[in-house]
């Protein structure tokens, strides 16, 4: 006889009614279906991975692009805040033609004359209404000394309103006064960086530093700046650290003269620049962009060469906003395309899976699975597939901006909404593109399915 | 319901029913099945009337192509007859919707196929648990039932094996355990030993005998006289008609 014996069967009686309350869709079933789905996906690891590549790329690209765009617009806003909403920045720029002509000449170097002049500023002031203030600066590169320590830095000859014009505050002491400006006084305000370099130990306030052969009394120290406040060290070629000192405009003129000399690759080079920089303050933010355009027209008429630059922070902000919008549209388009491709990939693989598992579908139907059980099974599988793709995409999408920030120093910001949105969309893709294959599976005739090889 | 009427309405070929005392579990009334293939139609079953009683052990025999599998599919609610009525228990299945047919299959029928039809990705225990899952049993309940059944078919030490790691006979025993899971009204087996060698086939037959002894209702389709010998009622089909219906080994 056989080696197995059957004990009398004592089981809970089959409780049947066409709408058996037990056969409701419970979390236990969901868990089981999910397990089966995961099993099926991981049994085809490589195939599943390739399938979800579209989703991965789509999600990662969107998150990364939005992070970069968000970072750029954050930077623009910061810059805008730092430079002032109602300011227009004028700078002297050495024109290209002049540079060439000096290289050609023999003999002792001639002083090149270029840039903004007091007359330019006066004209701007007189012809354009609504300008509340102009802060003009000269910037000369000098070696400055505190006893044995010396650094090469920009010496900015400017007006008393300089700090307030660009939300640049003092850390200690004070800025020089109107009286000191009028008197060509030898007073100096150090930037945070210069103060730290020249006075590593003691407090610089009320001490003296030497520029050329003159001594200047330190009256104040500016607070440390973010790197966004760059671009003021116009006199030198260095654009790196915002290290500079501030002296009265009048003092700069009388101590250093009109013509300045600086070292270049080809030897010494002299240049005469009246003003290196001017901040023009407008009393109404609405008109600042328009005023900027008028100033540009005036300067174009007055200057033969393009030896100046004009910057309107508000215009830069508008530009940044426009490019952020453009970035978002591009990100959206990339996302749309790759998610569509990803979705089609998922549909394709799900259709293959349905065909491969025809027999299984037949067995499940014979054992009591309803159409909706089969739909749920394949739909959940599609969602798991796209969800896993979405998850990998989210991880990559967060990692890429991080790498960009670390290696290129670009500001990137991953807002929480981007990964959440991207992930939800990818899961939805699974549902949308899983519906058709699932319906195909559910609509199979059980007898046919069971006969399938 | 209408079961009472079916008792008095049987064909003349059926002479064994009266002797058997079990309750009526399934009743076929003038079942016809026609397959349509484009313009072509094939009449496979030409009006089959049969009653099946609880605890009976029935074999269906007949030449290839006579419609045995077609009949089994109808009995198993996998397919609907073109004409006629089929009562399973006290339900008229001929008017049922797809969902209700699924429900009745899952709750009242146990299937054993010639090619076992186990799901390859699932292990022995999970295969046995599957019908219970669709009936909404909890995990603990299904586990307990499936463990008991695995032991009953002698596979308690193979519960975590995948079907491809088992011999044909073992796979068919898993299929039997699975068919028993919901304690069905009828167990339907279409050529259950068709793919097995004689030794494994004999083991399966022994299992069927034991199920019969425990009062299970078995209907099996077979080509093998040896298997038919084990049954208590032998129905012979020919060209979609009942040729003979005899009670044997009474
Ligand atoms: N889906 C179908 N479409 C068309 N004809 C079918 C279909 N299924 C079965 N048939 C036909 O019905 C007839 C009976 O088939 P069935 O499978 O019931 O035979 P069977 O008695 O089980 O034969 P076997 O002993 O070989 O398994 C055959 O002629 C077959 O070709
Ligand atoms: Mg057959």
């Amino acid at each position: 006889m056989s080696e197995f014996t059957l004990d009398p069967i004592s089981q809970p009686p089959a409780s049947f009614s066409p709408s058996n309350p037990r056969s409701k869709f419970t979390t236990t079933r969901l868990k089981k279906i999910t397990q089966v789905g995961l099993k099926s996906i991981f049994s085809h690891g490589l195939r599943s991975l390739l399938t979800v590549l579209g989703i991965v790329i789509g999600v990662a690209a969107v998150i990364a692009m939005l992070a970069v765009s968000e970072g750029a617009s954050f930077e623009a806003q910061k810059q805008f805040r730092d430079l002032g909403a109602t300011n227009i920045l004028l700078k002297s720029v050495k024109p290209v033609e002049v540079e060439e002509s000096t290289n050609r000449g023999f003999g002792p170097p001639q002083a090149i004359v270029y840039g903004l002049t007091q007359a330019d500023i006066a004209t701007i002031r007189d012809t354009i209404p609504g300008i509340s203030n102009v802060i003009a600066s000269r910037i000369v590169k000098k070696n400055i000394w505190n006893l044995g320590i010396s650094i090469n830095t920009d010496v900015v000859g400017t007006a008393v309103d300089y700090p307030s014009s660009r939300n640049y505050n003092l850390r200690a002491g004070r800025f020089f006064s109107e009286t000191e400006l009028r008197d060509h006084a030898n007073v100096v305000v150090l930037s945070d960086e210069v103060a730290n370099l020249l006075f590593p130990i003691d407090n610089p306030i009320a001490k003296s530093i030497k520029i050329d052969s003159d001594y200047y009394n330190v009256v104040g120290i500016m607070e440390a700046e973010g790197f966004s406040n760059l671009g003021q060290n116009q006199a030198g070629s260095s654009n790196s650290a915002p290290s500079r000192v501030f002296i009265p405009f009048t003092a700069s003129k009388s101590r250093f003269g009109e013509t300045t000399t600086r070292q270049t690759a080809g030897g010494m080079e002299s240049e005469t620049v009246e003003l290196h920089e001017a901040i023009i303050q407008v009393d109404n933010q609405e008109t600042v962009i328009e005023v900027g355009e008028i100033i540009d027209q005036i300067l174009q008429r007055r200057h033969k060469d393009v030896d100046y630059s004009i910057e309107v922070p508000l215009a830069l902000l508008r530009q940044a906003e426009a490019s952020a919008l453009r970035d978002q549209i591009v990100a959206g388009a990339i996302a749309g395309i790759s998610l569509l491709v990803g979705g089609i990939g998922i549909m394709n693989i799900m259709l293959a899976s349905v065909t491969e598992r025809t027999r299984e579908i037949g067995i499940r139907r014979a054992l009591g699975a309803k159409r909706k059980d089969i739909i749920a099974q394949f739909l959940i599988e599609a969602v798991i597939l796209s969800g896993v793709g979405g998850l990998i995409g989210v991880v990559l999408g967060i990692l890429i901006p991080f790498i960009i920030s670390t290696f290129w120093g670009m500001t990137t910001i991953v807002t929480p909404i981007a990964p959440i949105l991207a992930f939800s969309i990818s899961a939805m893709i699974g549902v949308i593109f899983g519906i058709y294959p699932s319906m195909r599976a559910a609509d199979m005739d059980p007898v046919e399915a069971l006969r399938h090889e | 319901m209408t079961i009472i009427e079916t008792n008095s309405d049987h064909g003349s070929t059926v002479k064994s029913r009266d002797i058997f005392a079990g309750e009526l579990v399934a009743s076929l009334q003038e079942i016809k099945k026609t397959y349509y293939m484009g313009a072509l139609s094939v009449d496979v079953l030409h009006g089959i009337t049969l009653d099946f009683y609880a605890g009976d052990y029935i074999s269906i025999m007949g030449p290839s192509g006579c419609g045995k599998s077609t009949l089994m599919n109808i009995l198993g609610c996998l397919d609907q007859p073109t004409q006629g009525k089929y009562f399973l228990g006290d339900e008229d299945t001929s008017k049922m919707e797809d969902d209700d047919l699924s429900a009745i299959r899952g709750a009242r029928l146990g299937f054993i196929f010639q090619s076992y039809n186990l799901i390859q990705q699932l292990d022995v225990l999970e295969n046995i648990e599957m019908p219970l899952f669709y009936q909404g049993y909890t995990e603990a309940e299904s586990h307990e039932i499936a463990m008991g059944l695995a032991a009953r078919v002698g596979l308690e030490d193979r519960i975590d094996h995948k079907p491809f790691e088992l011999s044909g006979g073992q796979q068919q025993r898993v299929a039997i355990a699975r068919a028993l899971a919901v304690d069905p009204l009828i167990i339907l087996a279409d050529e259950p030993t068709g793919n097995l060698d004689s030794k494994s086939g004999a083991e399966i037959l022994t299992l069927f005998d034991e199920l019969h002894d425990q009062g299970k209702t078995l209907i099996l389709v077979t080509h093998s006289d040896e298997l038919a010998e084990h049954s208590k009622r032998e129905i012979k089909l020919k060209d979609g008609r009942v040729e003979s219906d005899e009670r044997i080994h009474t």
Side-chain angles (χ1 to χ4, degrees):
Chain A
M1 271 249 94
S2 78
E3 72 258 43
F4 27 80
T5 49
L6 286 168
D7 308 324
I9 293 168
S10 54
Q11 283 171 23
S15 52
F16 173 79
S17 86
S19 51
N20 184 353
R22 285 191 87 159
S23 58
K24 272 213 215 98
F25 206 83
T26 59
T27 46
T28 320
R29 308 185 89 177
L30 193 67
K31 192 176 138 201
K32 202 90 187 172
I33 292 177
T34 308
Q35 277 173 3
V36 170
L38 282 171
K39 227 177 242 181
S40 145
I41 286 166
F42 285 107
S43 66
H44 299 107
L46 183 64
R47 184 174 97 173
S48 306
L49 199 68
L50 292 174
T51 303
V52 300
L53 215 53
I55 302 274
V56 171
I57 292 169
V59 168
V62 169
I63 296 173
M65 282 199 68
L66 289 180
V68 169
S69 147
E70 194 71 33
S73 95
F74 173 81
E75 274 308 316
Q77 265 163 32
K78 188 167 181 294
Q79 212 161 349
F80 166 73
R81 263 200 319 277
D82 289 348
L83 297 182
T86 55
N87 288 355
I88 296 165
L89 276 91
L90 298 181
K91 284 171 188 168
S92 294
V93 180
K94 185 187 248 186
V96 185
E97 299 92 278
V98 174
E99 193 126 38
E100 281 169 352
S101 70
T102 53
N103 289 347
R104 232 181 286 129
F106 293 97
Q110 266 195 310
I112 321 149
V113 182
Y114 70 86
L116 302 162
T117 62
Q118 301 272 28
D120 290 333
I121 301 301
T123 311
I124 289 166
R125 253 205 155 129
D126 295 344
T127 43
I128 308 172
I131 291 177
S132 55
N133 197 9
V134 177
I135 300 119
S137 309
R138 294 181 81 224
I139 304 170
V140 183
K141 199 123 189 133
K142 289 286 178 190
N143 282 321
I144 62 174
W145 298 81
N146 169 35
L147 303 174
I149 312 172
S150 146
I151 56 167
N152 191 260
T153 190
D154 285 343
V155 178
V156 183
T158 189
V160 293
D161 302 335
Y162 184 90
S164 63
S165 70
R166 48 175 63 201
N167 306 323
Y168 188 26
N169 299 319
L170 282 119
R171 166 157 78 75
R174 59 175 177 85
F175 212 69
F176 51 79
S177 66
E178 285 287 358
T179 321
E180 285 161 339
L181 180 66
R182 199 184 53 226
D183 294 349
H184 302 223
N186 280 10
V187 286
V188 66
V189 177
L190 307 180
S191 73
D192 181 61
E193 294 81 0
V194 171
N196 291 336
L197 285 169
L198 281 188
F199 296 91
I201 304 158
D202 38 349
N203 183 0
I205 301 282
K207 303 255 162 43
S208 285
I209 61 161
K210 199 174 94 170
I211 306 174
D212 288 347
S213 54
D214 299 301
Y215 284 91
Y216 293 75
N217 191 26
V218 179
V219 295
I221 302 162
M222 305 307 292
E223 67 183 4
E225 287 176 277
F227 69 90
S228 66
N229 226 354
L230 282 178
Q232 278 91 347
N233 23 4
Q234 210 51 51
S237 52
S238 156
N239 244 340
S240 54
S243 76
R244 35 184 208 270
V245 299
F246 303 92
I247 61 171
F249 186 81
T250 50
S252 170
K253 243 177 140 172
S254 49
R255 304 289 174 270
F256 307 144
E258 292 289 344
T259 305
T260 56
T261 314
R262 66 185 175 115
Q263 198 83 33
T264 63
M268 296 300 274
E269 195 177 273
S270 294
E271 53 183 32
T272 303
V273 179
E274 253 188 81
L275 298 174
H276 289 92
E277 184 185 294
I279 300 164
I280 294 167
Q281 292 190 298
V282 178
D283 52 16
N284 184 357
Q285 193 181 307
E286 319 277 74
T287 61
V288 66
I289 292 176
E290 203 185 328
V291 170
E293 284 163 3
I294 298 171
I295 290 174
D296 199 18
Q297 284 167 15
I298 292 173
L299 291 176
Q300 268 176 34
R301 237 180 294 123
R302 295 175 58 88
H303 289 245
K304 196 160 60 50
D305 303 312
V306 188
D307 55 357
Y308 63 90
S309 76
I310 181 162
E311 222 175 78
V312 183
L314 187 67
L316 292 181
L317 181 74
R318 294 270 177 276
Q319 255 170 22
E321 281 168 357
S323 87
L325 184 68
R326 208 175 47 232
D327 288 351
Q328 276 159 18
I329 291 169
V330 171
I334 291 179
I337 292 166
S338 39
L339 288 177
L340 185 73
V341 170
I344 292 169
I346 284 178
M347 181 146 108
N348 185 33
I349 222 70
M350 287 311 295
L351 283 172
S353 175
V354 167
T355 308
E356 272 168 27
R357 287 155 70 189
T358 301
R359 189 69 168 262
E360 177 188 330
I361 294 164
I363 297 168
R364 287 182 183 274
R365 295 281 275 135
L367 299 183
K370 295 179 180 167
R371 272 204 176 103
K372 62 170 192 259
D373 292 315
I374 303 294
I375 289 177
Q377 187 185 335
F378 283 93
L379 213 50
I380 284 174
E381 209 173 302
V383 172
I384 292 173
L385 211 51
S386 63
V388 168
L391 220 54
I392 300 173
V394 166
V395 172
L396 280 180
I398 292 173
L399 216 62
I400 291 169
F402 176 76
I403 292 169
I404 290 175
S405 294
T406 314
F407 290 96
W408 287 279
M410 221 158 128
T411 307
T412 55
I413 297 166
V414 178
T415 53
I417 189 82
I420 293 170
L421 197 74
F423 180 75
S424 322
I425 290 175
S426 70
M428 228 159 63
I429 289 285
V431 175
I432 292 167
F433 287 90
I435 284 176
Y436 176 66
S438 311
M439 300 282 273
R440 278 263 291 250
D443 286 346
M444 280 181 184
D445 176 47
V447 177
E448 298 287 329
L450 278 168
R451 226 188 326 217
H452 191 265
E453 264 325 301
Chain B
M1 273 193 91
T2 41
I3 328 148
I4 315 298
E5 297 160 31
T6 70
N7 279 337
S8 56
D9 181 31
H10 58 82
S12 55
T13 46
V14 181
K15 43 198 161 191
S16 53
R17 194 193 64 212
D18 303 334
I19 316 163
F20 199 79
E23 194 186 330
L24 186 71
V25 288
S27 174
L28 297 168
Q29 297 170 19
E30 277 303 312
I31 293 292
K32 291 185 180 163
K33 182 71 187 178
T34 308
Y35 286 111
Y36 297 95
M37 294 168 292
L40 223 71
S41 67
V42 187
D43 294 327
V44 179
L45 300 178
H46 305 270
I48 295 203
T49 302
L50 285 169
D51 287 340
F52 300 102
Y53 297 90
D56 210 351
Y57 188 177
I58 301 124
S59 62
I60 298 177
M61 297 189 71
S64 188
C66 70
K68 303 183 294 295
S69 293
T70 305
L71 184 66
M72 285 297 265
N73 287 339
I74 290 168
L75 277 170
C77 295
L78 289 165
D79 205 355
Q80 289 283 52
T82 315
Q83 262 182 51
K85 282 193 169 181
Y86 170 35
F87 289 88
L88 182 60
D90 47 12
E91 324 268 346
D92 182 0
T93 67
S94 27
K95 300 214 168 51
M96 277 191 180
E97 299 284 319
D98 191 83
D99 268 7
D100 292 340
L101 287 173
S102 296
I104 206 166
R105 282 197 296 268
R108 303 212 143 178
L109 297 166
F111 292 91
I112 298 162
F113 304 92
Q114 179 174 357
S115 48
Y116 330 128
N117 276 342
L118 301 177
I119 292 178
Q120 298 300 318
Q121 297 99 293
L122 304 183
D123 65 25
V124 166
L125 204 67
E126 289 168 326
N127 267 290
I128 300 173
E129 282 173 347
M130 187 134 72
L132 299 169
F133 165 64
Y134 289 114
Q135 294 307 303
Y137 283 71
T138 66
E139 262 178 300
E141 286 169 338
S142 351
H143 185 81
E144 198 194 321
I145 293 170
M147 287 296 278
L149 287 168
R152 265 172 225 163
V153 297
L155 290 170
E156 63 268 53
D157 54 346
R158 295 291 164 90
I159 49 168
D160 51 358
H161 284 231
K162 294 283 167 65
F164 58 83
E165 298 164 334
L166 301 175
S167 74
Q170 288 170 328
Q171 288 191 55
Q172 197 61 300
R173 269 143 63 190
V174 176
I176 291 169
R178 183 178 68 182
L180 292 170
V182 295
D183 192 18
L185 217 51
I186 309 173
I187 295 162
L188 299 164
D190 194 346
E191 302 189 43
T193 59
N195 285 9
L196 298 176
D197 60 49
S198 54
K199 182 176 173 286
S200 313
E203 285 173 5
I204 298 300
L205 287 189
T206 312
L207 257 177
F208 283 149
D209 288 348
E210 288 169 1
L211 290 176
H212 173 60
D213 292 342
Q214 285 162 19
K216 298 279 161 195
T217 314
L218 292 154
I219 303 179
L220 36 106
V221 165
T222 182
H223 284 286
S224 129
D225 290 325
E226 194 203 340
L227 205 163
E229 282 289 296
H230 285 256
S231 71
K232 300 289 178 270
R233 176 182 169 193
E234 197 177 286
I235 298 171
K236 285 206 167 85
L237 293 188
K238 198 179 177 193
D239 295 331
R241 289 197 173 79
V242 177
E243 190 187 41
S244 71
D245 181 359
E246 288 170 52
R247 185 150 295 282
I248 52 178
H249 311 296
T250 39

